[in-house]
Amino acid sequence: MTHPSTPGRTLSVVLAGGGTAGHISPLLAIAGAIVDQRPGTRITAVGTEAGMETRLVPAAGYTLRTIDRVPLPRRPSIDLVKLPARLLRAVRQARAIVAEAGADVVVGVGGYVSTPVYLAAWSRRVPVVIHEANARPGIANRVGARIAATVAVAFEGTGLTDAVLVGMPMRRSIADLDRTAERGTARASLGLDPDRPTLIVTGGSSGAASVNRAVAGAVPDLVAAGVQVLHITGRGKAVLGDDGAPMTLEGYHQVEFVDGMERVYAAADLLVARAGAATVSEVSAVGVPAVLVPLPHGNGEQRLNAAGLVAAGGALLVEDADLGPDWIRREALPLLADPARLAAMSAASRAQGVRDGDRRMAGLVLAAAEDGR
């Protein structure tokens, strides 16, 4: 019998996931680790034509194939009526991709695109390996876990049967980051003073209007106290002053987007951010003290994502409705003036971090491919 580990044999891996950076980033990290462990592996990513994957996957050097987007409704709706026909069509599209790729294994990270690919792989007896990023699994991975050869998770307590804890696959530039060594370079690259206490705020690639409002109201007090603020507002969400132009104040810097979050993590003394799975995993991997603000809607997974890090003392949690200028003045400002407390939070955070989730996932994928032959 020929195994995927046999020298000279080309291994084919199909990875499914897309839509948001929260799905695409771990997918690309897994792909990179697989190629590192098994050079020459043929990688095919499956997404939809509407997601960020159309830009990010080709930019990473991988082949992207697309299928129809199939929403999985949580309640009765017209989408629920249309679901069987839509799903069948997407599964047929995915089967063709899996067959054409000659897939030895299919890897999914959740999201709308994953369910049809899981079903297509199952129908062709190709092993499925799943990674669930959130503490509360999404519906696609709850379905896929029933047919998967291996289920891996970033957080404990997901409720998925026989799940293996691997952490979050992330870019090596983040996982290997030395914040202390890179702080000066990172601050210079972001236009920041190398020596001032630094608060960095981000609402993710799409921004968070409520977080932006809270920070904007506290900026005068922050800069008056000697704190510099880098405010990553999100695309199209610039914070405006009374004159209708982007707000300007000495020590306050706003940008819509930063390419390379490792620079943000290195530059920040304190980070204010949503509690997405990738953010929680990355801040703990690098040990940056954080204020985590869970999304006020959804199924509550962001609060669960943050729970372990908050309990360990590496982060503070504040509800979206409670985050206002007063909270920032009362809680964040004293924290930024307390280097010893920040250092303790950093150590507690880093102790919770997993920095080899990509490599752990690659090992599971290669093992499943071998077992499936």
Side-chain angles (χ1 to χ4, degrees):
M1 180 171 63
T2 302
H3 292 296
S5 57
T6 303
R9 185 193 182 280
T10 299
L11 181 70
S12 176
V13 179
V14 171
L15 297 104
T20 66
H23 287 133
I24 302 163
S25 294
L27 182 151
L28 294 177
I30 295 167
I34 290 170
V35 173
D36 284 345
Q37 292 188 26
R38 178 67 186 274
T41 296
R42 188 167 66 251
I43 300 291
T44 304
V46 183
T48 72
E49 293 184 355
M52 296 173 65
E53 61 270 23
T54 57
R55 175 175 57 88
L56 297 178
V57 170
Y62 302 118
T63 298
L64 176 68
R65 299 290 303 276
T66 60
I67 64 174
D68 291 349
R69 182 176 181 271
V70 184
L72 300 177
R74 298 177 183 274
R75 56 184 61 85
S77 66
I78 189 64
D79 282 335
L80 185 60
V81 175
K82 295 179 179 179
L83 177 61
R86 285 175 170 173
L87 184 59
L88 181 59
R89 175 177 170 79
V91 170
R92 286 172 177 164
Q93 294 169 339
R95 274 179 59 89
I97 294 169
V98 170
E100 183 181 326
D104 293 293
V105 61
V106 162
V107 185
V109 295
Y112 293 131
V113 74
S114 293
T115 303
V117 183
Y118 295 154
L119 295 174
W122 176 73
S123 72
R124 293 188 57 83
R125 298 185 179 180
V126 175
V128 172
V129 178
I130 286 175
H131 183 270
E132 173 54 55
N134 284 294
R136 177 170 286 164
I139 187 170
N141 278 352
R142 292 203 306 272
V143 171
R146 297 177 178 271
I147 58 175
T150 306
V151 178
V153 295
F155 298 100
E156 294 179 342
T158 63
L160 296 176
T161 303
D162 298 325
V164 180
L165 180 67
V166 301
M168 176 69 75
M170 65 187 71
R171 290 185 292 115
R172 298 312 310 171
S173 58
I174 293 176
D176 297 335
L177 178 67
D178 183 333
R179 291 179 61 237
T180 301
E182 297 297 327
R183 179 174 292 118
T185 300
R187 288 186 178 177
S189 75
L190 295 167
L192 301 174
D193 186 317
D195 299 317
R196 289 179 69 172
T198 302
L199 173 68
I200 300 186
V201 181
T202 176
S205 58
S206 59
S210 59
V211 175
N212 287 351
R213 287 192 299 270
V215 171
V219 162
D221 292 305
L222 288 165
V223 298
V227 174
Q228 64 182 336
V229 180
L230 174 61
H231 190 174
I232 307 168
T233 63
R235 298 193 189 280
K237 292 185 171 65
V239 175
L240 306 181
D242 294 337
D243 60 357
M247 186 172 76
T248 58
L249 199 62
E250 193 280 327
Y252 175 71
H253 311 260
Q254 64 166 301
V255 295
E256 291 191 346
F257 178 76
V258 170
D259 185 20
M261 283 299 291
E262 61 272 15
R263 294 189 294 153
V264 169
Y265 297 145
D269 289 309
L270 180 66
L271 181 77
V272 175
R274 289 298 192 198
T279 298
V280 173
S281 298
E282 289 173 0
V283 300
S284 59
V286 304
V288 58
V291 173
L292 299 174
V293 190
L295 275 168
H297 50 78
N299 63 5
E301 73 273 10
Q302 289 205 352
R303 189 174 294 102
L304 294 175
N305 293 343
L309 184 57
V310 172
L316 303 179
L317 186 141
V318 56
E319 299 295 346
D320 188 85
D322 296 332
L323 180 71
D326 287 342
W327 190 95
I328 294 172
R329 286 189 287 262
R330 186 177 66 252
E331 302 292 341
L333 193 49
L335 178 55
L336 283 158
D338 190 342
R341 186 180 172 201
L342 288 171
M345 288 180 68
S346 178
S349 178
R350 188 167 170 81
Q352 295 294 304
V354 178
R355 287 165 282 278
D356 62 349
D358 58 336
R359 296 166 180 163
R360 295 187 192 187
M361 273 300 297
L364 294 177
V365 172
L366 294 173
E370 185 166 339
D371 289 345
R373 295 191 59 80

